[in-house]
Amino acid sequence: NAGVTQTPKFQVLKTGQSMTLQCAQDMNHEYMSWYRQDPGMGLRLIHYSVGAGITDQGEVPNGYNVSRSTTEDFPLRLLSAAPSQTSVYFCASSFGAGTEAFFGQGTRLTVV
Amino acid sequence: EDQVTQSPEALRLQEGESSSLNCSYTVSGLRGLFWYRQDPGKGPEFLFTLYSAGEEKEKERLKATLTKKESFLHITAPKPEDSATYLCAVSGYGGSQGNLIFGKGTKLSVKP
């Protein structure tokens, strides 16, 4: 049972480049979400989805885009990377609101 | 606004020296309070969910308790392998839409 799988694990981007962080889960969870983790800031919610075709913004959505075409996949797109987006990104999934979330191993992104 | 504050930020213990980590929270109707463990370079690993005041959960040397305003993670006779960052999160019925709101964590170091 793979759980939540994120790719890539590491990425370096130049300012202005775009890229997609991939996230897939095999637990048939309805809820999926993206967090970023920065030193001293904790985990902050970027975007989330309550099911296929439904997405919404979290605490820090600017500069990021998401879509959810299937239950399994929830990619995060950086439209034009900025140094402020240097962070560790985590994808998570759960059965629904108020239930425990299971996290992927993270993507460490550096924007230069 | 839902909020989570963890203390202390860092805790150093000798092997076998029991202690407690604190998680204070404010939330518009608690759906659940969650404890996670995070090792360096890894995603958060789920430990416990608590739903109502007075509830307790145990796993090996860890015991989580919940009141209406805070939760404690008690560590009994810790071992060096318990060294990690421990994260607390809440999910509420208010503006957070059932998503997890995280504290900044407590970094625990256990010396042999």
Side-chain angles (χ1 to χ4, degrees), chain A residues 31-33 35 37 40-43 45 48 50 56 90 96-106 108, chain B residues 31-32 34 36 38 41-46 48-49 51 87 91 95-104:
Chain A
Y31 261 56
M32 294 187 74
S33 51
Y35 291 84
Q37 188 173 41
M41 298 295 293
L43 284 157
L45 183 66
Y48 65 98
V50 301
D56 207 345
F90 290 101
T99 63
E100 54 266 24
F102 296 90
F103 285 80
Q105 289 300 294
R108 182 173 294 273
Chain B
R31 289 179 184 261
F34 307 86
Y36 286 83
Q38 186 174 25
K42 304 287 187 182
E45 175 188 349
F46 170 72
F48 304 110
T49 307
Y51 291 108
L87 304 173
S91 174
S96 62
Q97 305 284 332
N99 290 293
L100 299 189
I101 306 300
F102 281 86
K104 296 180 181 180

Side-chain angles (χ1 to χ4, degrees), chain B residues 7-107:
Chain B
S7 61
E9 290 184 11
L11 182 62
R12 293 186 177 186
L13 300 174
Q14 289 297 124
E15 184 172 1
E17 179 187 3
S18 301
S19 188
S20 297
L21 312 183
N22 177 263
C23 171
S24 297
Y25 66 92
T26 56
V27 66
S28 301
L30 181 68
R31 289 179 184 261
L33 184 139
F34 307 86
W35 282 99
Y36 286 83
R37 169 190 172 126
Q38 186 174 25
D39 293 300
K42 304 287 187 182
E45 175 188 349
F46 170 72
L47 293 173
F48 304 110
T49 307
L50 301 168
Y51 291 108
S52 58
E55 190 174 0
E56 299 181 350
K57 294 268 180 80
E58 285 189 70
K59 180 180 180 180
E60 296 180 358
R61 295 176 293 282
L62 300 177
K63 178 179 177 181
T65 62
L66 181 65
T67 72
K68 289 187 177 180
K69 293 184 177 180
E70 57 191 352
S71 176
F72 292 94
L73 185 65
H74 306 279
I75 302 175
T76 302
K79 298 181 178 182
E81 53 261 42
D82 294 322
S83 297
T85 296
Y86 290 86
L87 304 173
C88 175
V90 295
S91 174
Y93 285 96
S96 62
Q97 305 284 332
N99 290 293
L100 299 189
I101 306 300
F102 281 86
K104 296 180 181 180
T106 293
K107 184 175 183 179

Side-chain angles (χ1 to χ4, degrees), chain A residues 9-48:
Chain A
K9 286 186 169 53
F10 302 94
Q11 183 71 48
V12 178
L13 287 179
K14 293 183 178 179
T15 298
Q17 287 185 317
S18 62
M19 79 159 294
T20 299
L21 279 63
Q22 301 291 345
C23 176
Q25 54 94 6
D26 61 0
M27 297 175 281
N28 202 30
H29 285 167
E30 290 297 324
Y31 261 56
M32 294 187 74
S33 51
W34 278 101
Y35 291 84
R36 61 178 288 173
Q37 188 173 41
D38 302 291
M41 298 295 293
L43 284 157
R44 293 181 293 169
L45 183 66
I46 304 171
H47 284 287
Y48 65 98

